[in-house]
Amino acid sequence: MAQNKGKKIAFISTFNPRKCGIATFTSDLINNISACAKGQFQPIVVAMQADNTLHYSEPVKFEIRQEVKNDYICAADYINFSHVDAVSVQHEFGLFGGQAGSYLDLLLSRLNAPVITTLHTVLDDPSPDYYQSMTDLCSSSYQVITMNQRGINMLRDIYDMPEKKIKLIPHGIPDLPFVDSNYYKHKFGMEHKKTILTFGLLSRNKGIELMLQAMPEIIKAEPSALYVILGMTHPLVLKHEGESYRFSLQRMVKELGITKNVIFHNRFVKEEELYNFLCATDIYVTPYLSREQLTSGTLSFAVGAGKAVISTPYWAAEELLAEGRGIIVPFKDHKRMAEEIIRILNDEKTFYSLRRRAYDYGRSRTWPQIGKKYWEIYNAKSLPVLSSSKPDTLTAEYNLDMNVPEPSLAHLKKLTDDTGMLQHARLTIPNRQLGYTTDDNARALMVMNKYYNQNPDPEALRLFDIYLSFVMYAQDDNGNIKNEMSYDRKWIPNEPPNDALGRTLMALGSVMANPPSPSYLSLVKECFDKSVEHIPSLHPRSMAYAVLGMSDYLKQFPGASDIKRYMAAAADELVTQYEQNRFPDWQWFEDILTYDNAILPHALLMASKSLDDKYLQVAIKTCKFLIDQTYNAGHFSFIGCNGWYERDRTRAKWDQQPVEAAGTVMMLHDAYEITKDKEYLKLQRKAFDWFLGANDLHIPVYNFRSRGCHDGLTPTGVNQNEGAESTLSFLLALLTVIESYSVAQKILKTNLRKKNELTEMLRINEIKTPESHTQKTQELK
């Protein structure tokens, strides 16, 4: 068979069989472009996956797991190697991973082909993250398509997008005949009924309860009235709430005594059945609760089918139903809704007038017409041709490798039972004989919090709850923390000194700064507050862990005066330790470098950020000193635990522990964020690469097969055991590197935007005042 020629277009979108309006939209778009392109169109679909349960067929060629960052990078390579002519992005924030869907930018910044983006949502009051995500998306796009005039106005006025870059193409509408609904009602056993329909994926913002409240009055006026609620519960709602909303609606139907006049069809209907329902409908209703909806496929379908439509005034409805094409009622006004429905049912002239105006309007928006408009864009000779791959911003600016292993919970789960995380393993087998520690479970809690915020996986939340439960159980009524527990769940008495209290505060603080859900906040704050009074009695390292926890606490509660006092006292104590032990050749807090050294300068970095710049000088000096002692010949060589490194003594080289690499990665993350010095970011990647083989033995400490981490680097190779501390250290380092790249992208894009703004100011100034251009230029610079 001859190879199909023509324009090859890659579509980044959800796709059938995923139950999603955008998946249906993209399928309809591809089908209708194919119909008008006459064999000159080759679609390939890169499908966004919310889970791994769906099985795709043509034209899906590649799948992206929503929260797996590396998938976006791989998808860009796949699209580039497929030699496509253009890329169509169907954009809705919730489809893409990262904060405000920011992972998409990793993909788009690498593409060779021009990007044409269709916006299914535009926010009128975006938070900074959503604003940045939208401006990044539009900057990466050759053309941006919005579905109504309001979208053009918002993109121009809110996001400063040039209007010449924006194109208006309405949502496609099925090309259905103008029919008498009575001819279709027998298909559903609804003969002699006055049918009212709402369809679409069910969620609380649909306002179905408004229509149910209106039904008793409607039934009084027209006893044959039948309200059909067509559609399954939205998959994301099912995931987080189950069927609670549908059940509440069903209870309301019973309480209102309208069970004979309301039907729930709890399923995702195929197009043919949906069209039959539309044809059998007399009145279509969208009683939505919020204005902020720019497009509505369901409303577009109803207008295209020539239905009498009543709706609340959300944005899409205001435009579609203008000029007598439908009736708008106020939000949450069920009495007005009932009045208008009764009026339409009783006034045949109004009923058919609404139908005819809607149907006539829809003729220019049928899918065949919309397919032609998109094909004109994709088939245009003026599409830019990009001949070489664009490196991502970080690669270009910092010469950084963005590729990292995918975070995996496989070995972590193996070490975890329903009590908590076991502290040791023999090879990869959990060693129950040595039980648990709060130290490790606090670290595990911190890892799960970071992991869940990057990858909102229910399994991560399950593990989070286990580790939080362990940490809470370790705390006594006075706020002290017990550390060692035997496998039979008995606390071991007479414990040696440990870091459990400091690590617990560090973990609890990280949860407070960014909890998996707000419901955890009160519980975690209570635990933190109970232990904070013990900070002054801690030794320096444990005190440093507590400083990091308090820094995160202040992110959630910046006005917490007592936390600021405890934090200042702890930071001052660390500075005192430094002053007492430093020498010109030894810029350190103690006369020895031992375990998890990076935590000490890291604590002062965060104190400078949260409290006072006065801590920054010592933080930077000690940070640089530690790097000088551990970074050599292009890779990190951490202090060995068999002897450590006393001042004026020989430095121990073995065994090197993963906790040192993780602590260094985390310290350098905040050093970069505070100073914006890109050298810290480069060093951070070098510290992380210690796990991957950039070390004294040039062998990986991370086990790519088990997804665990070896317990250390010895003179003869890796320690083959893969216990809790090492595996948690690797995951903390990996998740922190991913955070750092996100921070760096934001900083670079902010700098680029400022540079562009300055360039534009200089250009305008040169045009307006050429005689004083040189002087003004210097002032602006």
Side-chain angles (χ1 to χ4, degrees), residues 198 204-218 227 229 245 249 252 256 258 285-290 310-313 329-338 341:
T198 297
R204 294 185 184 277
N205 66 335
K206 299 289 181 165
I208 305 299
E209 58 271 25
L210 177 72
M211 256 308 296
L212 296 181
Q213 290 168 338
M215 281 301 291
E217 286 300 314
I218 296 169
Y227 181 37
I229 303 162
Y245 180 54
L249 296 176
M252 181 181 289
L256 292 171
I258 55 176
V285 181
T286 55
Y288 299 171
L289 301 179
S290 172
I310 300 179
S311 177
T312 51
V329 300
F331 289 111
K332 300 181 181 180
D333 190 342
H334 69 274
K335 292 182 178 178
R336 180 73 180 278
M337 179 73 77
I341 290 175

Side-chain angles (χ1 to χ4, degrees), residues 15-49:
F15 204 73
N16 299 334
R18 183 166 172 179
K19 296 175 175 64
C20 165
I22 294 178
T24 303
F25 176 94
T26 306
S27 177
D28 288 339
L29 178 59
I30 289 173
N31 289 339
N32 283 276
I33 293 174
S34 297
C36 69
K38 298 179 180 179
Q40 297 300 304
F41 171 56
Q42 298 181 63
I44 67 171
V45 173
V46 176
M48 297 305 305
Q49 273 273 41

